[in-house]
Amino acid sequence: MEGINQAYEILLAGALLVLAVLIVLSLIRSVLGPGIPDRIIAINMTGTMIIMVIAILSVLLDENYLVDVCLIYAMISFLGVVVLCKVYTGVYLQRKHMKADLHAIEDNLHHQEHEIIEEAGEKEEAQ
């Protein structure tokens, strides 16, 4: 029985080492990512891997309260990513000069059609 417990500890320690390397790589990706969506995804991946680390530590250390910490961290991480996505969407729409409220779909489509017509007119003038 002791051999099985030792094998579990080695497996969990190995999983923690792999997750640590992946967290470092994900943090590098969040800093160097080519675009903001890539950075948001890297932050989400980092949060998910930290949740897994806390869960593994809960099993390895036999501490049940760490599962509660894990769940709370998961909720906070989820809300953080949702807020980042909302901010990015607002900035993106602002750069495109589009409205970001619920009743703006028709206005945005009209704005896009107007831009397409202007671009077609500019192409005809250039020819």
Side-chain angles (χ1 to χ4, degrees), residues 40-65:
I40 292 173
I41 291 170
I43 290 170
N44 190 21
M45 284 175 34
T46 304
T48 302
M49 287 185 281
I50 289 174
I51 291 167
M52 292 188 311
V53 166
I54 295 171
I56 290 172
L57 284 174
S58 172
V59 172
L60 190 61
L61 301 175
D62 197 28
E63 297 290 340
N64 294 332
Y65 71 91

Side-chain angles (χ1 to χ4, degrees), residues 23-33:
I23 288 171
V24 169
L25 291 174
S26 179
L27 287 174
I28 291 171
R29 178 65 174 191
S30 67
V31 172
L32 300 177

